């Protein structure tokens, strides 16, 4: 779902069934929709069935493990996994 912008840099690899969402409802008023762009930087790897929520940036050379839900930015050269995705190591 992309009412907002999606930026995917060169060399990015996306697994199957990746969800990239740029739209969400305002929690206090579900009739209000807010958008925020998603940016996946150069050479990042996004595993199968990962969900990227509005406003996140995936850093350069970062790896996001299969099935993760990314709610916050993932720094460059980082491996992140889980729900919500958390940094487990620096590359």
């Amino acid at each position: 779902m992309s009412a907002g912008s999606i930026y995917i840099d060169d060399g990015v690899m996306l697994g199957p069934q990746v969800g990239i969402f740029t739209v969400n409802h305002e929690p206090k008023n579900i009739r209000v929709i807010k958008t925020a762009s998603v940016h996946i930087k150069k050479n990042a790897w996004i595993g199968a069935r990962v969900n990227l929520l509005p406003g996140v940036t995936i850093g350069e050379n970062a790896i996001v493990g299969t099935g993760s839900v990314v709610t916050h930015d993932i720094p460059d050269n980082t491996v992140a996994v889980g729900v919500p995705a958390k940094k487990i190591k620096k590359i």
Side-chain angles (χ1 to χ4, degrees), residues 3-4 11 15-16 28 30-31 40 46 63 66 86 90:
K28 294 180 182 179
I30 63 169
R31 295 178 193 267
I40 307 172
I46 311 298
I63 300 171
T66 298
K86 294 184 181 178
K90 191 85 169 160

Side-chain angles (χ1 to χ4, degrees), residues 55-67:
V56 301
T57 297
I58 307 301
E60 196 168 315
N61 304 311
I63 300 171
V64 180
T66 298

Side-chain angles (χ1 to χ4, degrees), residues 40-88:
I40 307 172
K41 292 185 177 181
K42 186 177 178 183
N43 298 322
W45 296 4
I46 311 298
R49 296 184 186 94
V50 168
N51 287 309
L52 306 176
L53 299 187
V56 301
T57 297
I58 307 301
E60 196 168 315
N61 304 311
I63 300 171
V64 180
T66 298
S68 297
V69 176
V70 180
T71 59
H72 297 290
D73 293 349
I74 305 298
D76 294 348
N77 305 305
T78 298
V79 178
V81 298
V83 180
K86 294 184 181 178
K87 174 184 170 182
I88 60 167

